[in-house]
Amino acid sequence: MLTFQIKKEFSFTPSEQHYLRAIYELQEEQGYARVTDVARKLNIGKGAVSLALKGLVERDLIRHPHYQVIELLPQGEMAAKQVMSRFAVLKHFLERVLGIKKNMAYVDACLMEHFISGETVDRLIDLIRFFELEDDLVREAVQRFQAYRRTCESTENCPICEFSCEVALPELENSAADQGTGHTVR
Amino acid sequence: MLTFQIKKEFSFTPSEQHYLRAIYELQEEQGYARVTDVARKLNIGKGAVSLALKGLVERDLIRHPHYQVIELLPQGEMAAKQVMSRFAVLKHFLERVLGIKKNMAYVDACLMEHFISGETVDRLIDLIRFFELEDDLVREAVQRFQAYRRTCESTENCPICEFSCEVALPELENSAADQGTGHTVR
DNA sequence: TTACATAGTTTTGTAAGCTAAACATAAGTT
DNA sequence: AACTTATGTTTAGCTTACAAAACTATGTAA
């Protein structure tokens, strides 16, 4: 697969990120995380989890004695928090700034969270905070944006994406928000 | 792998999306696309391309007679345009709204393009257009945003992501923008 | 027409990340 | 202690997507 070079010591595959996030969330929700819990949360088999955890153990991110609960080591907890915060920022942006519905925001954030640079996260936070400023002019502008909807039926090329609107705005993913069961996707 | 259910007939793997985009771009750039061109653009071996094209042929997205140039069929061209426009919207948003530097915007857009719903794309377009409105109040607000940078050194939890700032804003991906060679990543 | 370089294909092998099923352990119940 | 159930591990096999290398076709040039 084509790879993306980030500093290796802090790079995690999407899969690893899901495991770390699941473990962290489970610890918050119920105080502990076990293989079965992780499997259920990620909607995959126990076997896959068991194998994946080995990798995380080898990288000193977690401790996992045979048949026992999973524990995040300091490195792993830092990583998990990074993953969590990245996800939270994206979801917040989609929901509160773009006004995407909760379920779809969750799904989209799940899909995008792994592939976003720290710089972009920073700027998203800026944008979120800006939208929430206690400032009359900003508030007014935000309100206008929230009332703003593009109504574009032209077959001209879109000035942004350089393709025509039917193409730029396909009605394809309408069936994407029919879950929201807490399952992590992809 | 955990999967994401979108209407199947219009769903492409990230890999397939890359191939479609590469073919489309090559046709625009030089009038035709051959296996070697695609391989070079995507920075992978010819063998991999040759195999992948078979899949696209089977799905009636392209025509590819043995040892000849690749041709997009109507279905494939539509798909390619969708991929292109999705990418363009994301890149535009990152660059022009968030102010991410060109190379990094390219890389980030490459990474995120495959995992974003049509709804989110629509709302991003709205935001982009809103930022470019010919309206004094909006212009003023946009200018303020462009001058706005969060300066947060607190160790308190971030109100957005609920984690402390060192965690929310790791300095990890600084080495991510050292290419921009036209190579598609991941 | 033969030879060679370029382009494309096929084959073999690898890695990640899953499933499914068989197997092992732990813990609670009677 | 023996049984049962829930939980965890292991094994075998699958799919996607790639690399590397061997092989095949095409076209140009002598």
Side-chain angles (χ1 to χ4, degrees), chain A residues 38 63 74 110 124-125 138 158 171 184:
Chain A
V38 174
R63 256 166 43 86
C110 261
L124 280 178
I125 293 176
V138 171
C158 161
E171 310 273 28
T184 305

Side-chain angles (χ1 to χ4, degrees), chain A residues 8-9 12-13 27 48 60 78 82 90 93 107 111 119 138 140 143 150 160 163 166 170 173 175-176 179 181:
Chain A
K8 251 313 182 234
E9 65 266 40
F12 304 98
T13 66
Q27 287 186 347
D60 281 324
M78 259 193 55
Q82 282 166 19
L90 256 175
F93 168 73
V107 171
L111 293 170
E119 167 84 16
V138 171
E140 169 70 19
Q143 270 177 12
R150 177 183 18 82
I160 293 161
F163 293 93
E166 311 93 64
E173 281 87 357
S175 60
Q179 55 251 74
T181 56

Side-chain angles (χ1 to χ4, degrees), chain A residues 16-29 33 37-39 41-42 84 184:
Chain A
E16 286 166 343
Q17 293 180 41
H18 278 304
Y19 287 113
L20 290 169
R21 184 148 74 83
I23 294 166
Y24 191 95
E25 284 177 357
L26 283 164
Q27 287 186 347
E28 290 228 310
E29 285 162 28
D37 303 317
V38 174
K41 188 176 262 279
L42 297 180
M84 295 282 298
T184 305

Side-chain angles (χ1 to χ4, degrees), chain A residues 14 16 29 48-49 60 71-72 81 83 91 135 150 159 164:
Chain A
E16 286 166 343
E29 285 162 28
V49 175
D60 281 324
E71 221 181 307
L72 284 169
K81 282 183 177 173
V83 173
K91 182 156 170 291
D135 175 290
R150 177 183 18 82
S164 68

Side-chain angles (χ1 to χ4, degrees), chain B residues 164-184:
Chain B
S164 66
C165 287
E166 311 92 65
V167 171
L169 314 169
E171 309 275 28
L172 297 179
E173 281 86 356
N174 293 337
S175 60
D178 47 12
Q179 53 251 73
T181 56
H183 285 167
T184 306

Side-chain angles (χ1 to χ4, degrees), chain B residues 1 34 36 46 50 54 67:
Chain B
M1 191 189 285
R34 283 173 314 179
T36 308
K46 303 173 296 175
S50 193
K54 276 190 186 168
Y67 298 94

